[in-house]
Amino acid sequence: RGVQEYIPFPTSTIYAKMKALRFPQKKRYGGTAMWAYSEVKLYMDIGEEAYHQHLLKQKELEKVKVS
């Protein structure tokens, strides 16, 4: 169950939001994938739209680093 203890969305909704950059991405730790609590907490604290803007900025910064 994991993240659904904090965010009451169905699994399909969570994955759709992840794909649309509107929810924290899972992180891989060894063979296990999970959400970072700090990212889920940030999502809860600032809301979906602000978190979406946060992820878009991160993605843009990653593009700049690669270029």
Side-chain angles (χ1 to χ4, degrees):
R1 190 156 156 87
V3 76
Q4 289 174 314
E5 292 178 31
Y6 304 101
I7 307 294
F9 295 144
T11 303
S12 59
T13 301
I14 290 172
Y15 281 97
K17 288 180 179 290
M18 283 172 53
K19 186 175 181 180
L21 295 178
R22 294 193 162 273
F23 195 80
Q25 304 297 304
K26 281 188 167 184
K27 306 288 185 198
R28 291 219 177 266
Y29 300 99
T32 304
M34 62 184 76
W35 284 273
Y37 176 76
S38 59
E39 289 295 313
V40 174
K41 176 99 172 78
L42 179 62
Y43 173 86
M44 292 187 299
D45 289 346
I46 67 174
E48 184 174 322
E49 185 58 35
Y51 193 81
H52 176 64
Q53 295 303 317
H54 168 75
L55 288 179
L56 289 175
K57 285 178 188 174
Q58 279 186 337
K59 191 171 184 174
E60 190 61 36
L61 289 174
E62 288 172 9
K63 271 190 204 175
V64 170
K65 286 181 184 177
V66 172
S67 299

